[in-house]
Amino acid sequence: MSAQTATVRPEGPVPRARSLPPVVKGLVWAAVGFGIGAGLTAAIGGKAFLSEEAIVIGYALGLIGWLLGIGAWDAWVRTWFGLPENYDEGTGTARYWRFNTDHKVVGIQYLVTSLVVFLLAGLLAMLIRLELFAPGLNFFATKTAYNTTVSLHGTLMIFAVAALAIVGGFGNYFVPLLIGAEDMAYPKLNAISYWFVPAGVLALLAAPLLGGFDAGWTGYPPLTLMNPSGQVLYYLGVFTLGVSSILGAINIIATVVFLRAPGLTWGRLPVFVWSMLAVSLLNLLFVPFAGIAGIMALLDRTAGTAFFTGQGNPVLYQDWFWIFGHPEVYILILPAFGLILEVLPVFGRRPLYGYRWAVAGIVGITVLSAAVWRHHMFTTVPMSSWVPFLTTTEAISVPTGLLFLAALGTLWGARIRFKTPMLFAMGMLFNFFIGGITGIPLADVPTDLHLQDTFFVVAHFHYTIMGGMVFALMAGLYYWFPKMTGRMYNEAWGKVNFWWTFLAYNATFLPMFWLGINGMNRRIVDYLPYLGDLNRWVSVAAFVLGASFIVPAVNFAVSWVRGPAAAANPWQGKTLEWQVPSPPPKENFPAVPEVVADFYGYGQAHAGMTPARVPAAGGVAAGGHD
């Protein structure tokens, strides 16, 4: 049982006049930091100003300058030296362009940034499909340019979209609301965790200016040791995004453990919160493996070490990367499952089927996720690793199946309201089912050896991540849009968005299984003519899929400004975020709510019961029954 002490946030410090807006100030301080770091390295070490050694040192000091300039100095670090805090968190849209400790602002910052990066990385995917439209087509000037585009697309999508959109966006915005808390446990740490993201994304986007990187989103040495200096920015960018994930994980774990409202026992915790807690543990435990591997690879390039060269052990990098990399798959998909298991009971008007089994599935995946990494490496590891990792990889399908059964059991006999969030949630289940069953041959050694690095892997991966995580993200956007903005979106255009995206998505990726089985390799710019017809089909479908995202972009933008006002609880949900106005006030609740029942009692004898007493303004408790 946890307890939360009601606190009143002090009135903020008096704003002071500043000559520069925080973002501009951050950029200036970043430029100064980079100049000092790179200049000193060049002067002391006798290197060029843009040598790789100077870039690494300059980037480190530039990142510190960026974080201090954006607001960390005025709002936080000054107090370490006995100086008074002297910062204004802003109002209106200005709140989103500076250091801000409100978890809802931080959530919107993560979410909007991830969506912008998603559209950018999606445009890169369109360029990739343009190159693959026909065999022998030379849209890109060089093969390296093609592979750089593929690598940048994958890196941005994995580290800046899939890993952050739900966890950073919805996690920051809704975890405190779902557990009845006023804010995150460490609001200032939360504020600074977001501002690592723009720095990491800009580093990756700047990589082509230094020759790019063409080793894929995994960054395998020894290929990366031979690449241009853009590879250095890959490691720095990914490391920076990883720091953001680790800081966010610390906050979510502390928040869920210590700030739950009275009565919110572990057995009543919303499934989405369970998924966020599990993912935070995975981030905290395994992201450092990728960070350390990246640092070692950087040392190989800049300090003369030989960890992953021919004198060292290149496969060691793969081990370290995938010890992080396979839990990363579940870092991406567990929040997606947690999210749709919130949506299904609301729109199915049915209790969540097998709540305890669903939680057991989340825990089981968390425990097993780090024991399967070498199934990505069957072609590079000794045969003695094959059977153990084949076994653990097959075993993880059991807890995954529990989550699937919880979803299907909730839908069984449900009185479904086919609103847009529900359509995307059901689409996620369909897509992830295909992604799951096509993962079986990749877990089995004999078939994996033949399918390794083919388009079969591309299709499976996209069915798991895009079909699973992105469809869940869309479900969450439509589900929580009224709560976040206080406006309703256009339902008709929402349904157009779902059917357009769902049909185009499957038309794009389903044929890729056939292409992979019939010999089309990934990360290769050309292919044999007999694969041309189906590749033309895939490219056209991909262009249609890409165009489908114009619909939600316009729908959300117009609705945010001109949509009809949203009620506090437009979906008749029972979890705590629906018990406060839309959008929620800064302190979330007038006083600490009390949870008196579970949140999934839809369609039961006690369905009219409100599972929490939320005090009205002035401290008078309300709820219990409606």
Side-chain angles (χ1 to χ4, degrees):
M1 178 74 69
S2 69
Q4 178 192 351
T5 302
T7 59
V8 177
R9 188 190 295 274
E11 297 296 329
V14 177
R16 66 182 178 87
R18 289 188 299 278
S19 57
L20 294 174
V23 170
V24 177
K25 185 177 177 180
L27 290 172
V28 171
W29 287 29
V32 172
F34 182 86
I36 293 173
L40 287 177
T41 304
I44 297 173
K47 303 287 184 178
F49 183 75
L50 289 181
S51 66
E52 294 189 359
E53 295 85 351
I55 290 171
V56 172
I57 301 300
Y59 180 86
L61 294 186
L63 179 61
I64 294 171
W66 162 250
L67 297 174
L68 293 175
I70 199 69
W73 169 256
D74 289 325
W76 195 6
V77 180
R78 283 170 57 93
T79 62
W80 302 354
F81 301 97
L83 300 173
E85 180 182 315
N86 190 9
Y87 190 69
D88 173 21
E89 292 201 332
T91 58
T93 55
R95 295 173 296 165
Y96 303 106
W97 294 91
R98 62 185 63 205
F99 185 95
N100 192 296
T101 57
D102 186 340
H103 70 97
K104 297 182 287 296
V105 172
V106 177
I108 296 291
Q109 289 173 326
Y110 269 108
L111 197 55
V112 172
T113 304
S114 294
L115 292 176
V116 170
V117 176
F118 175 76
L119 295 177
L120 286 174
L123 287 175
L124 296 179
M126 299 300 100
L127 299 181
I128 294 167
R129 285 314 315 179
L130 197 56
E131 173 64 51
L132 298 177
F133 186 82
L137 193 64
N138 293 314
F139 174 76
F140 289 96
T142 64
K143 297 174 182 176
T144 300
Y146 170 81
N147 273 329
T148 293
T149 304
V150 171
S151 302
L152 189 57
H153 162 77
T155 305
L156 289 172
M157 282 294 193
I158 291 296
F159 293 106
V161 178
L164 296 179
I166 294 181
V167 177
F170 294 145
N172 270 293
Y173 199 106
F174 288 104
V175 164
L177 282 164
L178 286 164
I179 66 171
E182 174 187 331
D183 206 325
M184 286 289 189
Y186 309 115
K188 290 182 177 177
L189 186 68
N190 200 34
I192 202 65
S193 68
Y194 162 72
W195 288 104
F196 282 90
V197 176
V201 170
L202 288 175
L204 292 171
L205 292 176
L209 301 177
L210 297 178
F213 58 94
D214 63 355
W217 70 276
T218 54
Y220 279 179
L223 179 58
T224 57
L225 304 181
M226 299 182 286
N227 275 347
S229 297
Q231 191 69 54
V232 170
L233 291 180
Y234 161 85
Y235 285 122
L236 293 173
V238 170
F239 183 87
T240 307
L241 294 170
V243 172
S244 176
S245 293
I246 291 173
L247 297 181
I250 293 170
N251 235 324
I252 287 175
I253 293 170
T255 302
V256 175
V257 171
F258 295 111
L259 298 186
R260 284 173 290 127
L264 185 52
T265 61
W266 292 109
R268 291 173 175 169
L269 202 63
V271 175
F272 180 69
V273 179
W274 268 113
S275 71
M276 291 299 302
L277 182 62
V279 163
S280 299
L281 289 169
L282 292 176
N283 269 327
L284 192 61
L285 291 174
F286 298 114
V287 170
F289 281 89
I292 292 170
I295 291 173
M296 294 167 71
L298 271 179
L299 291 174
D300 278 357
R301 290 189 64 115
T302 60
T305 58
F307 296 115
F308 306 130
T309 66
Q311 292 76 40
N313 185 357
V315 177
L316 178 64
Y317 177 91
Q318 295 185 30
D319 272 316
W320 283 55
F321 183 86
W322 286 112
I323 288 175
F324 146 79
H326 200 82
E328 171 76 0
V329 173
Y330 295 102
I331 288 170
L332 310 184
I333 205 63
L334 275 179
F337 260 111
L339 198 160
I340 70 159
L341 289 179
E342 297 293 341
V343 172
L344 296 181
V346 172
F347 292 94
R349 313 312 293 172
R350 284 261 295 161
L352 177 61
Y353 179 79
Y355 167 86
R356 293 180 185 278
W357 286 108
V359 173
I362 292 172
V363 174
I365 289 172
T366 304
V367 172
L368 282 174
S369 64
V372 302
W373 82 91
R374 275 200 162 185
H375 83 250
H376 295 274
M377 305 164 55
F378 282 149
T379 54
T380 56
V381 295
M383 294 174 63
S384 58
S385 294
W386 286 0
V387 172
F389 283 91
L390 181 157
T391 305
T392 54
T393 305
E394 296 286 8
I396 206 168
S397 62
V398 175
T400 307
L402 293 177
L403 289 175
F404 227 92
L405 288 176
L408 296 179
T410 304
L411 291 174
W412 186 265
R415 293 173 292 135
I416 297 175
R417 294 181 292 172
F418 288 100
K419 297 289 188 180
T420 306
M422 188 63 164
L423 291 174
F424 271 104
M426 297 174 74
M428 179 272 185
L429 287 175
F430 177 86
N431 294 335
F432 191 80
F433 175 73
I434 295 178
I437 60 173
T438 55
I440 295 173
L442 298 178
D444 293 336
V445 176
T447 43
D448 180 78
L449 294 179
H450 289 277
L451 295 171
Q452 176 83 12
D453 275 337
T454 68
F455 259 63
F456 189 95
V457 179
V458 175
H460 160 73
F461 188 72
H462 281 80
Y463 263 98
T464 305
I465 304 304
M466 185 175 180
M469 177 269 164
V470 173
F471 271 68
L473 172 66
M474 296 302 295
L477 285 172
Y478 282 105
Y479 180 56
W480 279 320
F481 183 84
K483 180 56 59 182
M484 292 187 289
T485 65
R487 303 280 185 174
M488 291 301 296
Y489 62 86
N490 185 295
E491 180 65 31
W493 280 110
K495 290 179 178 176
V496 169
N497 175 198
F498 168 74
W499 286 111
W500 186 346
T501 304
F502 180 76
L503 295 175
Y505 169 82
N506 281 283
T508 300
F509 290 101
L510 205 56
M512 289 187 187
F513 290 115
W514 188 93
L515 288 171
I517 292 172
N518 285 275
M520 182 159 176
N521 292 314
R522 63 172 175 170
R523 297 170 181 162
I524 294 179
V525 68
D526 211 348
Y527 53 86
L528 294 174
Y530 75 94
L531 299 170
D533 289 342
L534 197 52
N535 265 296
R536 274 188 286 275
W537 166 274
V538 170
S539 289
V540 170
F543 300 148
V544 175
L545 173 62
S548 74
F549 288 98
I550 297 173
V551 176
V554 174
N555 194 2
F556 288 140
V558 172
S559 299
W560 199 332
V561 177
R562 301 173 56 182
N569 191 359
W571 312 127
Q572 293 83 49
K574 289 180 175 292
T575 41
L576 279 169
E577 82 275 28
W578 301 114
Q579 314 309 318
V580 296
S582 300
K586 186 171 184 180
E587 314 298 339
N588 293 342
F589 303 93
V592 179
E594 180 184 3
V595 178
V596 296
D598 72 77
F599 294 108
Y600 303 108
Y602 299 99
Q604 293 183 327
H606 64 286
M609 182 176 178
T610 302
R613 298 189 180 98
V614 180
V620 179
H625 291 78
D626 58 15

